[in-house]
């Protein structure tokens, strides 16, 4: 049996593969908007394993698999043997014999890597402490829809250097754009944890205004990610000056867009004026999770589809 292809972090795919995925997503989205059925994954089963909460990821994977002609099964830690200490390796062997593709949202990246090693079928990272590749796939597709190619552009990341930030940094190396990161002291990017090659596609700046100056895209995320709730009070104090507000958007490029993976906390990492304002594309960004992940599942199961539809 051939080893399956997985999607565990952004750098698992090449730039050429992303070019394909973005054009395939366009085709899938357009067809969906015209109510034209597209069932390439008829009879295939997706298993979704959640060890953390989710709205968008669950909905987009479950709806997406159904729209592609397959079905989706939801498992969580609480109601399965996963929460009672069954080894990840054993779970992977069993689950992957009964399904065609698996999506996992969990804690350490090492958990999903161990699962993938023992899985007979493709495994997709639906968020770990370190990475959230499906999110950035959707974000970049959204940027392309609104502003064209991202190559050579500048992204400002303001806030915590978390899983979403790390994934932006990997994407910058693969797709060749710049990321300017501003975090409070003590929360800086850890290049090794971010899994970077060190191609010089990111800079760390103390001042969030400097990070935003001239940026084509300004983005942020919650100050406290899932799994880090014990640090919440301390983080609320430490991040107080790292709220994306109208002043930050003013120093960005006039055509800059604002993105947030959601869920958002208005008045914390972003002001209501910005997230609900004219530069915000957060609803398109959320919707595009559906379309990019349909292209992703199709690609992992069927490979590249040539012809007029790509
Ligand atoms: N952005 C995102 O992954 O949202 P959920 O946590 O709701 O899945
Ligand atoms: N950084 C956030 C993203 C949620 C989609 C978290 O990990 O909780």
């Amino acid at each position: 049996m051939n080893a399956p292809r997985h999607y565990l972090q952004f750098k698992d795919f090449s730039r050429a593969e992303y070019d394909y995925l973005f054009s395939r997503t366009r085709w899938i989205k357009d067809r969906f908007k015209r109510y034209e059925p597209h069932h390439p994954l008829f009879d295939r089963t997706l298993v979704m394993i959640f060890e953390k909460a989710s709205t968008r990821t669950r909905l987009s994977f479950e709806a997406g698999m159904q729209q592609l002609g397959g079905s989706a099964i939801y498992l969580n830690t609480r109601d399965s043997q996963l929460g009672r200490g069954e080894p990840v390796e054993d779970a992977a062997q069993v689950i992957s014999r009964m399904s065609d593709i698996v999506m996992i949202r969990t804690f350490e990246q090492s958990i999903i890597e161990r699962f993938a090693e023992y899985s007979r079928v493709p495994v997709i990272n639906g968020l770990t402490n370190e990475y959230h590749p499906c999110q950035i796939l959707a974000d970049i597709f959204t940027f392309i829809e609104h502003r064209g190619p991202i190559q050579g552009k500048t992204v400002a990341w303001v806030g915590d250097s978390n899983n979403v930030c790390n994934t932006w940094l990997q994407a910058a190396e693969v797709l060749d754009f710049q990321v300017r990161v501003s975090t409070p002291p003590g929360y800086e990017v850890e290049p090794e944890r971010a899994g970077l090659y060190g191609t010089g596609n990111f800079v760390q700046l103390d001042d969030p205004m400097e990070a935003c100056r001239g940026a084509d895209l300004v983005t942020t995320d919650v100050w406290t990610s899932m799994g880090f709730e014990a640090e919440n009070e301390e983080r609320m104090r430490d991040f107080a000056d790292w709220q994306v507000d109208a002043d930050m958007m003013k120093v960005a490029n006039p055509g800059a867009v604002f993105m947030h993976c959601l869920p958002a906390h208005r008045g914390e990492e972003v002001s209501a004026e910005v997230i609900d304002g004219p530069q915000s594309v957060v609803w398109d960004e959320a919707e595009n999770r559906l379309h990019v992940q349909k292209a992703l599942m199709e690609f992992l199961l069927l490979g590249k589809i040539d012809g007029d539809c790509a």
Side-chain angles (χ1 to χ4, degrees):
M1 201 197 308
N2 287 340
R5 189 91 193 262
H6 305 297
Y7 191 53
L8 306 184
Q9 47 185 312
F10 199 90
K11 67 182 183 186
D12 286 349
F13 289 171
S14 66
R15 183 162 164 182
E17 286 168 332
Y18 282 111
D19 286 345
Y20 167 76
L21 277 178
F22 293 134
S23 80
R24 187 66 182 160
T25 300
R26 182 76 265 151
W27 185 86
I28 286 173
K29 182 172 178 177
D30 289 347
R31 232 187 129 110
F32 176 73
K33 295 288 177 184
R34 294 194 302 267
Y35 295 97
E36 289 171 12
H38 177 55
H39 294 154
L41 303 187
F42 173 73
D43 228 14
R44 306 286 182 116
T45 305
L46 164 72
V47 170
M48 306 180 295
I49 302 170
F50 283 91
E51 300 209 78
K52 294 177 177 172
S54 168
T55 298
R56 279 144 288 268
T57 303
R58 175 173 179 184
L59 190 56
S60 53
F61 269 105
E62 189 163 342
M65 193 48 160
Q66 282 173 16
Q67 290 162 17
L68 292 173
S71 57
I73 295 171
Y74 171 82
L75 291 180
N76 66 30
T77 316
R78 205 178 48 249
D79 305 328
S80 68
Q81 301 291 4
L82 290 162
R84 298 181 64 251
E86 181 166 17
V88 170
E89 293 78 2
D90 293 2
Q93 302 212 50
V94 173
I95 291 167
S96 69
R97 282 176 184 235
M98 299 187 192
S99 61
D100 299 285
I101 187 162
V102 177
M103 184 245 90
I104 306 179
R105 168 168 286 196
T106 186
F107 292 89
E108 289 79 27
Q109 182 72 8
S110 58
I111 298 174
I112 200 169
E113 281 170 3
R114 279 163 56 208
F115 192 105
E117 198 185 329
Y118 286 84
S119 173
R120 290 184 168 197
V121 302
V123 176
I124 297 173
N125 182 345
L127 182 146
T128 57
N129 289 351
E130 288 85 353
Y131 309 119
H132 196 2
C134 295
Q135 183 65 53
I136 303 312
L137 194 57
D139 292 7
I140 294 174
F141 180 76
T142 308
F143 185 85
I144 295 168
E145 273 191 318
H146 283 269
R147 295 288 180 267
I150 198 159
Q151 278 76 26
K153 299 285 198 246
T154 299
V155 174
W157 175 274
V158 174
D160 190 21
S161 63
N162 61 15
N163 42 11
V164 179
C165 175
N166 287 342
T167 310
W168 268 115
L169 298 175
Q170 285 198 359
E173 292 193 334
V174 177
L175 300 179
D176 198 19
F177 57 91
Q178 294 296 315
V179 184
R180 295 205 206 122
V181 179
S182 180
T183 66
Y187 295 93
E188 292 88 356
V189 171
E190 296 172 54
E192 203 172 315
R193 183 172 161 83
L196 302 183
Y197 296 123
T199 51
N201 290 73
F202 100 93
V203 287
Q204 174 93 36
L205 298 161
D206 297 335
D207 183 354
M209 288 292 273
E210 284 317 304
C212 294
R213 199 173 299 281
D216 302 292
L217 191 172
V218 177
T219 186
T220 185
D221 186 14
V222 291
W223 290 339
T224 306
S225 287
M226 292 181 279
F228 297 84
E229 289 80 1
E231 300 172 15
N232 192 44
E233 253 181 60
E234 193 182 343
R235 284 171 170 266
M236 292 287 272
R237 283 193 300 274
D238 293 345
F239 283 82
D241 294 332
W242 274 263
Q243 177 186 103
V244 176
D245 59 15
D247 289 338
M248 289 188 198
M249 294 307 293
K250 264 191 212 117
V251 298
N253 269 345
V257 291
F258 171 77
M259 289 192 194
H260 190 309
C261 63
L262 307 176
H265 298 81
R266 288 169 177 76
E268 293 181 22
E269 75 273 5
V270 61
S271 69
E273 192 183 3
V274 169
I275 195 169
D276 300 320
Q279 287 167 282
S280 173
V281 295
V282 296
W283 312 124
D284 290 343
E285 184 188 356
E287 177 190 327
N288 283 333
R289 291 289 303 280
L290 173 73
H291 309 300
V292 295
Q293 289 161 194
K294 285 165 76 175
L296 173 65
M297 289 191 285
E298 187 193 64
F299 178 64
L300 286 172
L301 286 172
L302 304 180
K304 197 170 161 196
I305 295 167
D306 292 321
D308 62 351
C309 52

